[in-house]
Amino acid sequence: MKSVQKWIIACIFTVGIIAIVQIQEQKGGTSQLRTIFTQGKDIQMVREFVIAQLPRDYRPELIPVAATPKDSMIPTMATYESMQPYEEGVLVSYTTPIQVTAREDGIILFTGHTRHTGKTMTVLYDGGDIVTYGFVENFSNLPYTAVGENDLIAEVQPGSMFVKIERAGKNLEPSAVTEWMTDVLY
């Protein structure tokens, strides 16, 4: 059923119940429907009754979701051309498009646009590192989404990408960022 049809049926159902209650109470009595709809247990019973009236073969519309397999021909973060300090992190230069994958399991804390790093994504990894990727082209996830190890999280076009790694509340030095990228990534 479409959303509009559901609302129309719900409105008709509500108006019908209100009308029946009013008709029953005009004769000076109390309506049994009013007592049914004022107690929580009875509302659950009515809900189950209504659901039982729906066709058994009714299935909600499913939207297929497919994961994008990692293409082994696309270079990773470890294949950078040069690296230089920038703001509180480093700018890493690439001559080919790359796919940024999650280092380990974690959660995406932020995706958006910032003044100094353009399209930016921040990921909190289970190991405690907070990594910010800036100047990315496309995000693969939204904020507060869990990611698994080697999941695609962003794509970068040829040019520069900003990387900042916070460990134990302190930013890693550029040499430590180099080690982090080569140790963890392909």
Side-chain angles (χ1 to χ4, degrees):
M1 247 187 239
K2 292 185 179 181
S3 180
V4 174
Q5 291 172 336
K6 289 179 185 177
W7 278 106
I8 291 171
I9 291 171
C11 289
I12 292 171
F13 182 73
T14 303
V15 168
I17 289 176
I18 292 171
I20 291 171
V21 169
Q22 292 299 321
I23 291 170
Q24 289 178 348
E25 289 182 348
Q26 277 183 349
K27 297 177 185 175
T30 58
S31 173
Q32 290 179 343
L33 282 177
R34 183 177 297 278
T35 58
I36 288 175
F37 287 101
T38 56
Q39 299 174 357
K41 180 180 174 186
D42 294 329
I43 292 175
Q44 182 65 24
M45 181 183 70
V46 170
R47 179 184 177 279
E48 290 172 4
F49 173 77
V50 170
I51 289 175
Q53 303 308 311
L54 294 175
R56 297 269 184 226
D57 61 344
Y58 172 75
R59 289 196 176 113
E61 181 181 350
L62 299 176
I63 300 172
V65 177
T68 306
K70 184 170 179 354
D71 189 351
S72 60
M73 299 303 291
I74 297 177
T76 62
M77 285 178 57
T79 60
Y80 62 90
E81 294 294 315
S82 66
M83 182 183 293
Q84 62 186 8
Y86 178 77
E87 296 289 320
E88 296 176 334
V90 294
L91 273 180
V92 185
S93 298
Y94 296 96
T95 57
T96 58
I98 64 160
Q99 293 182 338
V100 180
T101 57
R103 170 186 174 183
E104 58 185 283
D105 293 346
I107 187 166
I108 296 175
L109 299 177
F110 173 79
T111 58
H113 191 276
T114 65
R115 180 180 299 174
H116 298 289
T117 58
K119 277 188 178 177
T120 303
M121 170 183 280
T122 301
V123 181
L124 169 62
Y125 290 114
D126 288 349
D129 291 346
I130 300 174
V131 183
T132 301
Y133 306 96
F135 301 121
V136 296
E137 187 68 24
N138 296 316
F139 301 128
S140 297
N141 299 298
L142 295 173
Y144 307 110
T145 303
V147 292
E149 184 175 359
N150 294 327
D151 283 353
L152 176 67
I153 57 175
E155 296 175 332
V156 177
Q157 293 302 315
S160 297
M161 178 176 69
F162 172 77
V163 179
K164 177 176 88 169
I165 302 168
E166 295 177 53
R167 183 174 288 160
K170 295 183 180 179
N171 294 331
L172 293 184
E173 296 293 322
S175 59
V177 173
T178 303
E179 291 175 22
W180 181 85
M181 289 173 66
T182 55
D183 287 345
V184 179
L185 304 169
Y186 306 90

